[in-house]
Amino acid sequence: MDKKQPVVAFLGPRASYTHQAAQSVFPPESHTLTPLMSIADCFAAVQNDKASYSVVPFENSSNGAVVFTLDLLADIQGLCGDVVVTGEIYLPVHHCLVGRVSGGEGGGTQAQSVSGSHDATGLLEKEPTESQQPHVRPTHDLSHIKKLYSHPQAWGQCKRFLSTHLKGIEQIDASSTSRAAELVAEDTTGTTAAISSKLAAEMSSLSVLADSIEDFEGNSTRFFILQRRDAVSPPPRQRSTPQTSQSDPQTQPPPEEASPAPAYKSLLSFTVSHTIPGALQRSLGAFNNHGINLTSINTRPSGEAAWHYIFLVEFEGRKGEGKVDEALKELEGAARGWRWLGSWEAWRGGREGWDSVFEQ
Amino acid sequence: MDKKQPVVAFLGPRASYTHQAAQSVFPPESHTLTPLMSIADCFAAVQNDKASYSVVPFENSSNGAVVFTLDLLADIQGLCGDVVVTGEIYLPVHHCLVGRVSGGEGGGTQAQSVSGSHDATGLLEKEPTESQQPHVRPTHDLSHIKKLYSHPQAWGQCKRFLSTHLKGIEQIDASSTSRAAELVAEDTTGTTAAISSKLAAEMSSLSVLADSIEDFEGNSTRFFILQRRDAVSPPPRQRSTPQTSQSDPQTQPPPEEASPAPAYKSLLSFTVSHTIPGALQRSLGAFNNHGINLTSINTRPSGEAAWHYIFLVEFEGRKGEGKVDEALKELEGAARGWRWLGSWEAWRGGREGWDSVFEQ
């Protein structure tokens, strides 16, 4: 290992989606890519100057924000106050159902439901509607599958497939989708399956029983690149198309970019007084009054006391632009406190296919 | 069972926190309280007229909003469009570490960390800060504990205790804290423990190894009472103090009520155009322009397409009040679409102790 290479920490294990995202921006030949076991570890590595960069998941298009990342950005525990966001990566996420092919006949037989005893109360009455139907069918028989492993985020992204083809099958959380595939590979009965990437299936010598089982065809995850506040330098190749998606039209910028693409995005957190009515609106109004476009708002408990919140707001623009500086001045008077969490150049992944996926 | 009694569904199993919340408002002698296995089932029971009311968790003061409840209120799957919120319940949540008392010496010995191998990368450097210290110590030895069971929400509410006294111990998700206690009771080795309520520990004949291990002393959960839109009648005893907290000063209204208590709160969801910059601000501005106080904002993927969001906004007031009606008219012009999700009388649990907990 070349000691002079910058260290890039990422949420592991190897072959995770975050690993794929990190590789798309940081060439492994000139960076020391290092898997860590938790998002908190990735923040700590940057905070404590053990890594130049960390790559962590921020939100998934089907499943929403990653709460652990929100709480670490809000620095609720007071452990990573020097960490800022300096880049973003969008990566298409195609989940597969992976496991052993059964000895029986193949061809998309629906797994037997074992959820009959679930409704002992007689209160339930469910008929799947058209909007719930998954857009793919299994390529192999699933009737031998008795147990599923995956990361909790994946259950939320594959609800339709699971409720149609694996209804009532026990779901066991694993620390990552790659780890889920390993657990299935270790199981000698052949009756377990995992939701993971195709890459993880290959690494664990498992078969793909169903491909692209995510609910939405545009399913993708957005990652943040983190650096220390006092060591900010633009991440390399920030504007290039990632290696993993050159042939994949589903690495897109977010739909806000239908209007001319904003050059920069920024993130900050703020808290408001609980005794002054309207404090939240006045804080948000600071952006509106200066024509700044908000791209996301997230609310989390602030950790100060019960029912106190911290708000994370993302917007177009960066410090030094007149209207942003003026909005910050107005925010200063409206919020109880606020903290700058970084600016970065908006992702410009491949645009092919963009309109067909995002137009309504 | 008296067939004429209204059916009240709640997120089970029996002895769950939601059960305690439901009992505090719906007297079991005049209601048929029925546990269901998931929050989705609770919504479906009301939607399909199988239950008059359902009680579901909405947010916890330490851990934030319950994503499943948000998504069902937003009706992303199109299955429960007739369900509205007609009441709220605040319940103090005291988590206990429960299990078997070890044969060894008692007295708060710290469990041995098994996380040493975790940092094979050498990138980590963590020193616990004062703000991370838990506010209680175990009342029994924990060195025999090798495995923990609990509901995922509980891990997030007890981070400080776990990282101090049970660092690196394997955490296994259970479907509820009550179920976690049952799993520990079934384990004959005596080396597992659960995070659950004291009530669940008693029902499973387990000992309390540490009491009130939640990070924040005011830890409490807010529940919503659901009804069908076309069958709204105020839930009974909505304004009474719950049975479980008469002696507990920690059932408080939220801090917004430092100013004169609002009589009503309301909830609605809206989506915005992705091609019109500023659409989100203009939608939020509809409330600001008419002096309506927002009490929460939550953002979730809308389910329509990747990176499309739905916003859930809660505010003081109700339909029929002039300023609310005017704000709705303005929202109509600013949002792409919006949906009314109910009004209810704000919770008025015991106020004693309120200032000492919420004042900063």
Side-chain angles (χ1 to χ4, degrees), chain B residues 263-308:
Chain B
Y264 283 89
K265 293 183 194 167
S266 298
L267 184 72
L268 59 77
S269 65
F270 66 84
T271 56
V272 299
S273 165
H274 286 80
T275 51
I276 306 171
L280 173 55
Q281 276 102 312
R282 270 198 308 287
S283 299
L284 292 172
F287 299 93
N288 196 27
N289 294 342
H290 298 282
I292 293 167
N293 198 29
L294 299 186
T295 50
S296 85
I297 302 178
N298 282 285
T299 309
R300 293 291 303 154
S302 73
E304 294 170 311
W307 307 115
H308 281 217

Side-chain angles (χ1 to χ4, degrees), chain B residues 21 50 72 84 89 166 176 188 214 250 302 324 332 349 354:
Chain B
K50 302 286 179 177
L72 288 156
V84 292
I89 307 165
L166 291 162
S176 69
T188 52
E214 60 274 6
Q250 285 162 15
S302 73
V324 172
E332 181 80 34
W354 191 93

Side-chain angles (χ1 to χ4, degrees), chain A residues 8 75 211 213 316:
Chain A
V8 180
D75 197 25
D211 196 354
I213 64 169
E316 293 174 3

Side-chain angles (χ1 to χ4, degrees), chain A residues 150-172:
Chain A
S150 199
H151 186 271
Q153 278 268 339
W155 308 128
Q157 292 169 31
C158 305
K159 279 183 209 153
R160 294 175 184 182
F161 184 91
L162 293 172
S163 65
T164 303
H165 296 293
L166 291 162
K167 189 168 162 56
I169 303 293
E170 188 183 5
Q171 298 177 351
I172 300 171

Side-chain angles (χ1 to χ4, degrees), chain A residues 42-92:
Chain A
C42 292
F43 273 74
V46 164
Q47 172 72 28
N48 300 323
D49 246 340
K50 303 286 178 179
S52 301
Y53 305 93
S54 278
V55 180
V56 296
F58 176 65
E59 60 173 341
N60 172 268
S61 60
S62 304
N63 224 17
V66 178
V67 166
F68 299 107
T69 303
L70 289 177
D71 285 351
L72 288 156
L73 287 168
D75 197 25
I76 287 166
Q77 302 261 0
L79 292 176
C80 44
D82 298 314
V83 176
V84 293
V85 181
T86 62
E88 65 181 7
I89 306 165
Y90 285 81
L91 187 82

Side-chain angles (χ1 to χ4, degrees), chain A residues 268-272 279-280 282-287 290 315 325-339:
Chain A
L268 59 77
S269 64
F270 66 84
T271 55
V272 299
L280 172 56
R282 271 198 309 287
S283 299
L284 292 172
F287 299 93
H290 298 282
F315 55 94
D325 295 345
E326 283 165 32
L328 294 179
K329 208 178 292 173
E330 187 172 335
L331 181 66
E332 181 80 35
R336 197 163 63 81
W338 66 276
R339 213 161 63 86

